[in-house]
Each structure stands twice: as C-alpha cells, then as structure tokens.
Amino acid sequence: MTVQTMTSELLAARVARHSGRRDAAIVDATGEISYRELWDRVERTAGSLTGMRRVAVLPSSDIGSLIVVLAAMHAGVSVVLLHRHLLPEEFSDAIRVCRPSLIIAHPRQHARLHRWGADTVVAPEHLTAGRVTPIEPPTPDAELLVGITSGTTGPPKLFVRDQASWAATLDRSDSLFELGPGDRVSASGTLDHTHFLYGALHGLTRGATVDLRAAVHALEDAPTHLYSVPTIAWDIAHSNARHPGVREVLSSAARWPLSGRAALATVLPNATLTHFYGASELSFVSYDRRTPDGVEVVGALFDGVEVETRNELLNVRSDMLFDGYLCRVGERTTLTNGPVDGWMTVGDRGSVEQGRLTLLGRGSETIVRAGLTVELAPIEAALLSIPGVLDAGVVGIPDDRAGEVSAAGVVVAKGDSPTAAQIRRHVRSMLPSPSLPVVIAVLDALPRTPRGKLDRQALGATLATVRTVGSPDAPVTTNQTVNAPPS
C-alpha cells in the first residue's frame, strides 16, 4: 500500500462550493444560519484576520466559534486550538510558544481566559464588521492548526497540522461515509475537542446541516449522522427513545464496551457504528465498523495508511500525519520530533496481519476518559507530593459511561495519615478535572513485578473491584476506598 501524495482541495474551498445555498448550514442553541449567510460572515471575518500568522481560539458549541475557525483556515491563518481543561500555566506556555495575534472566544468564556492570565479577549462577532476583501488562498503546506495534546503538568505538547494533511483526512471521510446536502450532522460535543470540530467542519464541506446542540435536542430533529464519544453514546443508549433516522455513528476515544454498543444499536436500529483509531499526530489510522445487519469489520486500515511494528510499537506512515511539535528555543519557534522518513509512532503497541490492526495498549501510560487523553504519571506525582503518602500507583479502569477513568492505589505512613478529604483536595488543586481519580484505595503495598516495577495489570484488577464509598472525612486506613462523586 502506498502513501497518497496528490494534494486535494483544501478545507475552506470545499465549504465555499455551497456558499450560494439558502438552506441551513449550522444550528446552535440560539438559532441557525444559512450557507449564504455563513460564507458572508466567513469572508468578513477572514478579512479581519488577513496578515496574521496565528490566532488562539477557545471555541464553544456556537455558530460564531465555528465561523472564526473556518475564517482563519480560509485566510491561511493558523488556529491555536485552546481547550477548557487547560491549567493557567499550560495556557501561558502555549501562548508564549505560539504568540497568537488575537485570543478569540465567545463572551461566556472570557472570564475563564482572564483567570488564566489573558489580558485581552475578542468575541467572534467583533471580527465580522469589516468588508469582504479578496483572500489569497493558503498553500497546501501552510500551517492550519496548532492543537494541545495531553500533558497535565509542565509545558503542553503543541502539535501542528498543515492544510494538506486535513484535506487528506477529509478525503478519507468522504470515501467512507455517505454524506451530503439534505443530511444532518449532530456534533454535540464542545468544539474544543478536535473530534467534534472535525466532524462539524467535515459536515460543512459536504453541504450538510451541522447541529451543535446537545444530543438530546439534536436528536429531536432527526439527524442522519452522529459524531460521538462513549459518554454521549451511553446517554443516548439509556434514553429509551428510538431514532431510526440515524444512519451513521462516528466515534473516537476509548473503545466502548460491547454491552454499550449493543444498547446503542437498540435505540439507533438503522445506524452503522464506526469507531476510529488514531491520534492527534497521526489522524486516521484504522477503524472498526458494524452495520445494522451485523456485518462487522475490525481494525481496517484507512486507504493510504501503512503500519509497521518496530520493537512492539506501531509506526504509521500516511499523508495525514502531523508536521511535528511546536516549541520555542530562545527567540525561535521550531518544529521538533515530527515524522522520520515519513514514519511516526505515538507509543501504541499492536500488530498488523492481513491489513487488520490489533491494538495492545499504550507504551506510554495514558488513558482516554470521555474522549480526553489523560496521562497517569502526573496523577501519581500529585499523590506522592502529599505528606504521609509513601507510594502511589494510578491505572485506568473500565467505565461504562466514560470508557476509562483513573483509579489510584496509595500506601500511607502509619500514625498521622492524611484523610481522604485531604488527598482529594490536594490532587484537585494540582490536576485538571479529567485527571482526578474516581477511586482512591489505600493498600498495604502496591503490587510489583520481579524487577520492582509497578504491576499495573495487578493493580488494575484490584482497583476495578473496590468501589465502596468511604467517609470523605475519615482518616485513610488500610483497605479504605474513596470514590469521587460522579463526573
């Protein structure tokens, strides 16, 4: 299988094809906008951004956020995609490295950004007052997006995607899914999650109506396509309302348990369920797909993707890979640790046989909780910083709603041991909410391998069985388990 090299039509140009239509392009909680109105606002906003290198955007599920992202991509201005789970120091590091000309967000996000340290924040609507001016189209190798990967402490990892890589990704979606004018795409997760941002933009490139409202409302208007993560799918499955008009469910993040998929198929009886495997750095790699009549494909590689196993790690080559990680060296901003000879690994383990990919887990210790990547090492470091905690280990355990959640086993000093409330209060002050352990269990000792390393498999088996709720103010004693409140 060879890597595709032909440059496809870029993202904004695909949306521009539909600019003369009067039917609905985007729906949010406040109303809707037609394709004609959408493109007029995109062009006006693009005129306000022309000449800038980067703008930072903290999007929410509203029309204005999507317009400003699309306008920047139309103008060849890179979007630094912020997300609501950033810590203030992570935000500061991202701004220091990227040096955006503007920080843009809906007014309801301004207080959050000011808490993070932003001086000036612009609302998307303030950028549409200008006149429509001619725009020089971006080149395929122009920087399109700077995203922020996992990294719950210290400098965040900033990954860069160019125009051509997103165009190639759109081509793969076009070839796999039937989507076009008259269809309706529900992208009900917040647009700071690249899965939902990509889903919304893909819908617009195909001339579909994109619904940004919560799934419970979007489903009332009979969507044909549903972008989802396990958390949203779980809520739909337990709504007890059938939606026969849904043809496609497009899911990312941790694989959903088989029982959950079966429950979803009951309420979406005509939907094909597709789950992507990929990463911010890799884009699409493979997919699992099950049709309503039970035909199932597992681990199929996307067209043009090559995968090799080297030292048990999966290495990927395709025209969808990122350019590298953005970092600052002195006064220079540079890309580092990108693909080598066209190949890239993110530390996942697995095997490939007859064009089918089998995943065996991450080499680096991370989990995916409700679509968000969570590193385990910073959680362990936070626990170990608490006086009286002698040892700590964190693993991911299955969760029906979120896919995976973090659970911690700790060993404490005898005598003046910290209370459960003190432990949870401490980690809450240091970690973003997706990283907070759902379970904290005090053990006599952590399981270790013969070489003295933490035996995460054994710890996971122990923590998966201990979910009794301890008193939040009681001293932590041997075998006590503390559960977090539902997230």
Side-chain angles (χ1 to χ4, degrees):
M1 190 177 294
T2 59
V3 178
Q4 296 184 5
T5 57
M6 182 178 66
T7 300
S8 301
E9 187 177 31
L10 302 184
L11 186 151
R14 301 180 190 218
V15 180
R17 292 191 220 141
H18 310 286
S19 60
R21 290 169 41 197
R22 298 181 181 273
D23 52 323
I26 311 173
V27 178
D28 69 6
T30 65
E32 64 180 46
I33 187 173
S34 71
Y35 268 96
R36 177 174 289 189
E37 295 169 312
L38 166 67
W39 195 249
D40 177 70
R41 287 178 60 180
V42 165
E43 289 193 306
R44 292 179 185 278
T45 303
S48 299
L49 302 178
T50 300
M52 299 180 186
R53 177 167 175 73
R54 299 186 182 102
V55 294
V57 182
L58 178 58
S60 51
S61 295
D62 66 283
I63 292 171
S65 292
L66 197 50
I67 285 174
V68 77
V69 169
L70 184 54
M73 293 175 174
H74 175 47
V77 179
S78 180
V79 174
V80 181
L81 186 66
L82 305 174
H83 63 78
R84 62 197 181 282
H85 297 295
L86 286 173
L87 299 175
E89 58 268 28
E90 293 177 331
F91 168 77
S92 297
D93 285 336
I95 297 303
R96 178 183 61 83
V97 172
C98 296
R99 292 188 174 179
S101 300
L102 294 175
I103 299 174
I104 307 168
H106 190 281
R108 63 172 169 264
Q109 297 285 2
H110 288 194
R112 184 196 301 269
L113 283 157
H114 291 317
R115 288 196 302 271
W116 287 350
D119 293 326
T120 304
V121 185
V122 178
E125 289 72 18
H126 292 168
L127 300 171
T128 60
R131 299 168 61 183
V132 175
T133 56
I135 296 292
E136 186 71 25
T139 59
D141 61 352
E143 183 179 291
L144 174 86
L145 180 80
V146 180
I148 303 176
T149 65
S150 59
T152 51
T153 61
K157 295 167 64 177
L158 305 173
F159 69 90
V160 173
R161 295 279 302 275
D162 64 20
Q163 292 270 354
S165 72
W166 262 50
T169 305
L170 291 167
D171 288 344
R172 303 315 196 277
S173 294
D174 290 351
S175 64
L176 190 59
F177 311 121
E178 293 184 4
L179 177 62
D183 288 327
R184 194 175 185 96
V185 177
S186 170
S188 58
T190 308
L191 297 179
D192 63 359
H193 192 309
T194 51
H195 175 63
F196 295 106
L197 178 63
Y198 174 82
L201 290 172
H202 179 236
L204 293 176
T205 66
R206 302 299 294 171
T209 298
V210 173
D211 195 331
L212 303 179
R213 297 175 298 169
V216 65
H217 301 299
L219 285 168
E220 294 176 354
D221 288 327
T224 56
H225 295 67
L226 177 68
Y227 272 81
S228 179
V229 292
T231 309
I232 293 173
W234 179 264
D235 291 341
I236 294 171
H238 285 73
S239 67
N240 296 319
R242 287 167 60 88
H243 301 281
V246 177
R247 302 199 314 263
E248 294 271 3
V249 176
L250 315 172
S251 180
S252 72
R255 278 187 170 85
W256 213 33
L258 288 176
S259 60
R261 287 188 238 172
L264 186 64
T266 299
V267 298
L268 306 178
N270 298 318
T272 295
L273 308 181
T274 303
H275 181 277
F276 309 121
Y277 160 65
S280 300
E281 300 89 341
L282 307 177
S283 189
F284 290 149
V285 177
S286 68
Y287 60 90
D288 300 342
R289 190 165 168 84
R290 183 180 177 85
T291 65
D293 55 2
V295 177
E296 188 165 14
V297 175
V298 178
L301 297 179
F302 277 89
D303 185 36
V305 173
E306 298 177 71
V307 179
E308 292 182 357
T309 302
R310 305 173 187 172
N311 298 321
E312 297 187 345
L313 298 182
L314 296 172
N315 285 259
V316 177
R317 181 166 71 171
S318 81
D319 55 353
M320 297 180 282
L321 301 188
F322 82 143
D323 292 335
Y325 297 109
L326 196 66
C327 65
R328 195 159 198 85
V329 180
E331 292 300 310
R332 292 179 58 250
T333 299
T334 185
L335 287 173
T336 62
N337 299 321
V340 177
D341 297 327
W343 293 89
M344 182 68 193
T345 182
V346 293
D348 286 336
R349 297 179 299 114
S351 61
V352 182
E353 294 184 11
Q354 298 181 337
R356 294 291 184 263
L357 175 62
T358 300
L359 293 171
L360 302 176
R362 278 240 159 166
S364 59
E365 295 301 333
T366 64
I367 65 171
V368 179
R369 176 175 178 172
L372 299 170
T373 302
V374 174
E375 291 184 339
L376 303 184
I379 306 174
E380 293 176 349
L383 290 165
L384 288 170
S385 70
I386 303 173
V389 174
L390 304 179
D391 202 0
V394 181
V395 297
I397 60 175
D399 183 84
D400 285 339
R401 188 170 186 272
E404 274 184 305
V405 294
S406 59
V410 296
V411 179
V412 300
K414 298 188 184 300
D416 189 21
S417 58
T419 67
Q422 288 170 331
I423 291 178
R424 194 161 293 288
R425 192 160 50 241
H426 185 93
V427 295
R428 188 179 292 118
S429 69
M430 293 187 65
L431 300 171
S433 57
S435 297
L436 297 177
V438 168
V439 175
I440 299 177
V442 176
L443 308 173
D444 290 325
L446 298 184
R448 299 281 175 182
T449 66
R451 294 182 133 188
K453 293 185 177 181
L454 178 65
D455 188 338
R456 294 188 184 276
Q457 185 173 359
L459 179 60
T462 298
L463 295 177
T465 63
V466 289
R467 285 194 146 184
T468 56
V469 179
S471 168
D473 297 315
V476 176
T477 57
T478 301
N479 297 325
Q480 182 182 345
T481 302
V482 181
N483 279 32
S487 59

